[in-house]
């Protein structure tokens, strides 16, 4: 983490994506699912974030699930999740920040064997994390164009599902981004890790699916129905969203089905406007 070339690579202040070298714009933020700050495109680096006083944050989010985040919050503000599984540790989603203290803390927990990310808004500093723990990053090939820092650690998968381990399956529901992914953990009562591909609402009795959260663009009803049908084939009691403590703790399958039914009723006009 002391390599000057590493800590000075540009990071977008709005979305947290790290790029290989200097550039004038951030393609992730120029896309209609994201936005450029009203103040214009702004950049920082890992070195800059350290100088500003950022540090790692760790907190339990569920059984064998540790939240990994940044404090003070930065960019989109998501937290990643470290899953402690029978086949080793898996980092689900990623955050823009990493320092030596965070590396030591994760190494004390057994390190990271795999990294898997839900969609391009959370690619962030994924290559930094991959190099720090000598772990591959699994991304769906349909979102290859959004990788800001190409690297041999990034491995692309295709199709609707990838069996990552005996207990873990990456699933491509095809909402929010064509290559979006959720992660199913079959152990125990089952859990689904979704980022905001399936977003856990502040009222955790509900989830929602959107094409753009930042710009309030709803997802296509047919895509939502197809995603729901695909995910109905997996059993999960818990749903872990992208933000701190956004977790459905019981009846996950029912919550998703009920939420999709409500979404479609409004989107296809079956519910009259107030």
């Amino acid at each position: 983490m002391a390599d000057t070339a590493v800590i000075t690579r540009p990071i977008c202040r709005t979305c947290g994506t790290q790029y290989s070298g200097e550039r004038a714009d951030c393609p992730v933020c120029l896309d209609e699912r994201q936005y450029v700050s009203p103040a214009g495109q702004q950049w920082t680096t890992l070195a800059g974030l350290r100088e500003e006083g950022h540090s790692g944050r760790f907190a339990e989010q569920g059984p064998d699930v540790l939240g990994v985040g940044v404090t003070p919050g930065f960019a989109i503000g998501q937290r990643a999740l470290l899953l402690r599984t029978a086949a080793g540790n898996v980092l689900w989603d990623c955050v823009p920040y990493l320092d030596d203290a965070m590396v030591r803390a994760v190494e004390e927990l057994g390190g990271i064997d795999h990294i898997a990310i839900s969609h391009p808004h959370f690619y962030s500093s994924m290559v930094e994390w991959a190099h720090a723990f000598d772990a591959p990053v699994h991304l769906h090939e349909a979102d290859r164009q959004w990788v800001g820092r190409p690297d041999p650690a990034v491995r692309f998968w295709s199709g609707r599902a990838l069996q990552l381990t005996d207990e873990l399956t990456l699933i491509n529901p095809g909402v929010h981004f064509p290559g979006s992914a959720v992660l199913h953990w079959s152990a125990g009562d089952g859990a689904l890790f979704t980022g905001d591909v399936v977003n856990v609402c502040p009222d955790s009795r509900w989830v929602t699916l959107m094409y753009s959260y930042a710009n309030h663009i709803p997802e296509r009803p047919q895509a939502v129905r197809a995603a729901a049908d695909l995910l109905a084939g997996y059993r999960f009691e818990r749903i872990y969203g992208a933000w701190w403590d956004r977790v459905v703790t019981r009846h996950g399958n029912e919550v998703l089905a009920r939420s999709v039914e409500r979404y479609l009723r409004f989107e296809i006009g079956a519910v009259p406007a107030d």
Side-chain angles (χ1 to χ4, degrees):
M1 295 300 296
D3 185 339
T4 301
V6 170
I7 64 176
T8 59
R9 285 195 174 94
I11 297 174
C12 173
R13 282 193 174 274
T14 301
C15 73
T17 299
Q18 186 189 60
Y19 289 89
S20 297
E22 292 185 9
R23 57 180 304 129
D25 59 6
C26 171
V28 173
C29 288
L30 289 174
D31 179 71
E32 65 183 353
R33 282 160 289 205
Q34 183 52 16
Y35 64 94
V36 176
S37 166
Q41 182 65 57
Q42 299 180 37
W43 301 97
T44 187
T45 62
L46 281 176
L49 291 172
R50 294 174 191 176
E51 291 172 2
E52 293 169 13
H54 291 276
S55 61
R57 175 186 174 189
F58 297 88
E60 295 291 337
Q61 293 288 276
D64 292 318
V65 178
L66 181 70
V68 181
V70 183
T71 185
F74 173 71
I76 295 175
Q78 78 274 13
R79 55 100 174 91
L81 295 167
L82 186 68
L83 284 56
R84 290 165 283 185
T85 82
N89 291 344
V90 174
L91 185 70
W92 170 248
D93 276 334
C94 200
V95 294
Y97 187 74
L98 182 63
D99 60 24
D100 293 336
M102 295 175 75
V103 172
R104 287 193 299 271
V106 173
E107 284 179 340
E108 289 174 0
L109 295 170
I112 296 172
D113 296 282
H114 295 276
I115 300 170
I117 303 180
S118 60
H119 70 292
H121 292 157
F122 297 162
Y123 287 178
S124 60
S125 293
M126 61 185 179
V127 175
E128 302 288 357
W129 284 82
H131 288 181
F133 298 100
D134 192 24
V137 181
H138 302 277
L139 307 179
H140 197 281
E141 67 173 6
D143 288 339
R144 183 189 295 261
Q145 72 183 86
W146 302 107
V147 175
R149 183 182 168 189
D151 189 89
V154 178
R155 300 180 184 177
F156 295 100
W157 60 282
S158 61
R160 282 302 191 187
L162 172 69
Q163 195 74 39
L164 196 58
T165 72
D166 287 344
E167 296 180 348
L168 297 174
T169 305
L170 282 165
I171 307 162
N172 167 228
V175 290
H176 195 33
F177 277 81
S180 63
V182 300
L183 181 66
H184 180 254
W185 191 1
S186 64
D189 293 327
L192 195 66
F193 299 83
T194 62
D196 64 2
V197 172
V198 177
N199 189 44
V200 177
C201 298
D203 179 350
S204 61
R205 295 175 300 170
W206 301 93
V207 297
T208 192
L209 298 88
M210 295 284 284
Y211 177 74
S212 170
Y213 293 95
N215 297 314
H216 309 294
I217 305 172
E219 184 53 90
R220 299 152 296 158
Q222 64 270 29
V224 171
R225 171 55 67 196
D229 290 345
L230 177 64
L231 295 177
Y234 298 86
R235 178 183 56 82
F236 47 91
E237 190 74 1
R238 302 171 73 89
I239 304 174
Y240 291 85
W243 322 111
W244 288 105
D245 303 318
R246 292 284 188 92
V247 181
V248 174
T249 59
R250 59 178 185 169
H251 308 315
N253 284 97
E254 291 84 351
V255 168
L256 177 59
R258 183 174 69 246
S259 298
V260 166
E261 189 275 334
R262 181 177 72 170
Y263 182 97
L264 294 174
R265 279 192 292 114
F266 277 90
E267 279 302 306
I268 65 176
V271 175
D274 291 336

